Amino acid sequence: GVVAIFANTGIALANEGGALKEVEFDKSQEARQRGAETVVGVCMMCHSLKYLKFSDLTSIGMSKEKIKSLLTSQKLDDHMISLTPLEVRKESYGKEPPDLSLMTLARKGGPNYIYTLLTSYYTDAQGNTENHLFPGIKMPDMLGYSFAAEGSPDRAQIEAQVKDAVSFLMWAADPNEDARKELGVYVIVYLVILTILLYLVKRRTWASVH
């Protein structure tokens, strides 16, 4: 799975291991599509995105054929639920791994928190995998960040993969953001044109009065 950031109370943990990394995320459809592949292929081994259906991925430009290629026994109209039995996930992590649908909104700095968490794995002196941000984390280093040497092409590739995954999760948390922004532009243009027209009407009206 990808993001085990809930404490036993179900509330996102505070930053335990230092400052979050400030990252610029690519919000292009291409980045979201790459991120979707990582989330479906890796994260959904343990996590779900219960508020989305696989068919919703067409909204980020993925073809139905491409989506189907990522699936096993699921159907396009199925909700994005992990196929790993809940009992197995609870036994592995001590609790049900959190749903990822709204994960980037779950805490302040959510996208940067997720990126920092996934790029904070390291191997300690005893050879155990640990996490600087979340010491004692039970979630394994699924992308192998701790095994890639600092500054290596492998590490850079993993960091890019994490950025794309976070970009997708940002979209998943608010799939209508792009439509709202586009509508907002049209509304502003409409209001500007309306203001100009009203101003011209006012001038003509007062001109005729004088």
Side-chain angles (χ1 to χ4, degrees), residues 83-142:
L83 291 179
T84 304
L86 180 57
E87 296 74 20
V88 174
R89 288 181 279 157
K90 283 185 175 180
E91 183 177 351
S92 299
Y93 303 107
K95 60 178 296 183
E96 180 181 359
D99 185 86
L100 300 182
S101 304
L102 304 176
M103 189 55 65
T104 59
L105 302 178
R107 56 166 294 118
K108 185 177 180 180
N112 285 322
Y113 185 96
I114 296 172
Y115 178 84
T116 303
L117 179 72
L118 297 177
T119 58
S120 291
Y121 283 99
Y122 69 98
T123 303
D124 64 18
Q126 288 72 43
N128 301 314
T129 301
E130 256 295 356
N131 192 288
H132 291 296
L133 183 64
F134 195 150
I137 190 171
K138 291 186 177 181
M139 184 180 71
D141 180 8
M142 296 297 292

Side-chain angles (χ1 to χ4, degrees), residues 53-55 67-68 71-79:
K53 292 183 177 181
F54 289 107
S55 57
I67 299 170
K68 289 178 181 178
L71 309 181
T72 52
S73 60
Q74 305 103 315
K75 302 292 191 298
L76 277 176
D77 286 331
D78 288 346
H79 285 271

